[in-house]
Amino acid sequence: RFVPGFWSFTFSCCAVAALALRWIKLEHPSGGAALADIAVAAVRQLVAAIAARSVVAISRHTFLPAPHYRRSVLRSCAQRWRGSRSARP
């Protein structure tokens, strides 16, 4: 099941690609331009795939948990919070 948490993978991949581009700029390895193109293309493809899957999940109304589930989770969190506040001295 696709969930919004998949977006967390994009940050680390983009950070690795950015560091790779910085390394290529500083060290000038042979084939550096091709390596830079590959790094950028890989990150673009990952982000585009997750964005496309997000659009599909949003259109199917499966991207976020069901409203009744969210309400019950919020209700239980509020009850715990109220309980922890009343237990304080």
Side-chain angles (χ1 to χ4, degrees):
R1 180 166 183 247
F2 186 83
V3 294
F6 279 93
W7 278 101
S8 64
F9 294 113
T10 61
F11 175 76
S12 57
C13 291
C14 290
V16 168
L19 287 174
L21 294 175
R22 178 180 249 177
W23 176 79
I24 290 168
K25 183 178 180 182
L26 293 173
E27 296 296 324
H28 305 290
S30 60
L35 290 173
D37 290 342
I38 291 169
V40 170
V43 168
R44 279 185 179 179
Q45 191 171 15
L46 172 72
V47 172
I50 291 177
R53 188 61 182 94
S54 295
V55 169
V56 169
I58 290 168
S59 69
R60 293 180 180 171
H61 303 288
T62 60
F63 189 64
L64 297 174
H68 61 30
Y69 174 77
R70 288 191 301 243
R71 272 190 246 120
S72 66
V73 169
L74 289 174
R75 190 177 307 119
S76 67
C77 289
Q79 289 170 347
R80 287 183 194 153
W81 184 77
R82 285 186 200 123
S84 67
R85 286 183 51 115
S86 64
R88 291 184 183 170

